[in-house]
Amino acid sequence: MLELRNVSTVYGTIPMLMDVTINVGKGEAVCLLGANGAGKTTVLKTIISMVSPVSGEVHFNGRRIDTLPSHKVIESGIAIVPEREGLFPRMTVADNLLMGAYYEADKKKIKARLAEVLAIFPRLGERYHRKAGTLSGGERKMLGIGRALLADPQVMLMDEPSLGLAPALVNEVYEVIGRIKREKNLAILLVEQNAQKALAVVERGYVLQKGGIILKGSTAELQADKIVQESYLSAGA
Ligand SMILES: Nc1ncnc2c1ncn2[C@@H]1O[C@H](COP(=O)(O)OP(=O)(O)OP(=O)(O)O)[C@@H](O)[C@H]1O
Ligand SMILES: [Mg+2]
């Protein structure tokens, strides 16, 4: 359904991604593991057309999307939860959520989605009229995910949802990701450095190193792999 085909990108003249091929099937949860600076965020930016490949293509539902502007890609059914949530701090929780449904004209649909998201995140209901900038780190993360859900996407891209959160909150966020996966019929591309958490929730994954895919496989295959164990699953990694 979502496919990067031999994608290479550069920042200026510096090569960033090299010949990256990634597939995400309908309703499938896939992770992309990689260390700091490996190019994980660049992969997501390429999918939503914020970065253009110098070679290769991105396809979604049989249609080429790397030549489209970002808003068309988002409109076509891809939502992103960015690294730092990308919220509007001076706007309320309610308005931030509604921004996610920007491309939906049907008020009934928006209302139904809102109810669904508030059922998943009761905390956001309690904070509904607060400014997003006053929320805690964990609440902001939930708001970022909730906003993406309001777009009712076919694919949700998540950029390091565990980053900067205390362990208890990481568990909470991952419980939510697991729940979304079970309850919603959407595909997830999960970018993480926290391999332990990511591999517990996905079916398949890829490892990105210095801009190239060095490994791909099922969750069990990745967990059994020496590189993954040493670089991403060892204590303190
Ligand atoms: N707009 C840009 N212009 C130039 N260089 C950039 C730009 N964005 C990112 N980079 C560089 O590209 C490299 C890869 O960045 P990217 O953000 O994709 O990595 P990442 O795997 O997401 O890393 P992290 O784990 O730190 O989020 C980094 O060295 C970064 O400094
Ligand atoms: Mg990143």
Side-chain angles (χ1 to χ4, degrees):
M1 174 177 61
L2 175 65
E3 199 184 357
L4 283 88
R5 292 185 193 160
N6 310 101
V7 165
S8 297
T9 67
V10 295
Y11 283 131
T13 55
I14 304 162
M16 190 53 249
L17 298 181
M18 277 155 287
D19 208 23
V20 168
T21 294
I22 292 174
N23 293 293
V24 183
K26 202 170 187 315
E28 198 182 24
V30 173
C31 72
L32 178 63
L33 304 176
N36 268 324
K40 304 179 300 296
T41 298
T42 306
V43 168
L44 299 187
K45 284 185 175 168
T46 307
I47 294 171
I48 59 165
S49 226
M50 279 173 67
V51 170
S52 295
V54 284
S55 62
E57 298 178 356
V58 185
H59 289 249
F60 181 51
N61 287 333
R63 177 174 173 220
R64 188 168 174 187
I65 58 167
D66 58 280
T67 47
L68 300 177
S70 278
H71 70 271
K72 288 281 177 203
V73 173
I74 304 287
E75 213 179 331
S76 74
I78 300 177
I80 184 164
V81 186
E83 234 165 355
R84 287 186 213 336
E85 302 99 30
L87 302 172
F88 302 96
R90 287 160 190 270
M91 284 168 52
T92 62
V93 166
D95 288 338
N96 269 282
L97 284 172
L98 290 170
M99 285 299 287
Y102 189 77
Y103 294 110
E104 181 57 68
D106 187 336
K107 290 226 165 65
K108 271 199 194 127
K109 279 191 187 162
I110 296 175
K111 221 175 151 187
R113 286 179 205 168
L114 197 52
E116 201 178 13
V117 166
L118 292 177
I120 298 175
F121 304 106
R123 194 60 176 254
L124 295 181
E126 291 162 24
R127 301 277 186 274
Y128 204 58
H129 299 292
R130 296 267 190 97
K131 297 238 177 3
T134 68
L135 299 182
S136 71
E139 289 167 348
R140 283 205 300 275
K141 204 60 86 177
M142 302 297 183
L143 181 52
I145 298 171
R147 184 178 59 178
L149 286 175
L150 263 148
D152 193 24
Q154 293 175 52
V155 187
M156 189 148 89
L157 312 176
M158 305 185 89
D159 201 349
E160 299 202 49
S162 71
L163 193 72
L165 296 181
L169 288 172
V170 171
N171 290 339
E172 224 176 278
V173 166
Y174 268 87
E175 268 166 36
V176 161
I177 296 172
R179 179 168 172 193
I180 292 168
K181 194 181 153 238
R182 286 191 305 274
E183 291 180 11
K184 311 273 301 174
N185 183 31
L186 54 73
I188 297 174
L189 178 57
L190 176 63
V191 161
E192 265 295 359
Q193 290 188 54
N194 189 336
Q196 199 132 26
K197 279 290 163 195
L199 290 173
V201 80
V202 299
E203 286 106 48
R204 233 161 38 75
Y206 297 82
V207 177
L208 187 69
Q209 199 174 78
K210 295 182 181 151
I213 299 290
I214 56 155
L215 196 66
K216 63 173 187 171
S218 67
T219 304
E221 282 165 347
L222 292 180
Q223 277 163 338
D225 186 273
K226 273 222 145 43
I227 298 174
V228 174
Q229 284 178 1
E230 282 166 14
S231 309
Y232 305 105
L233 290 173
S234 59

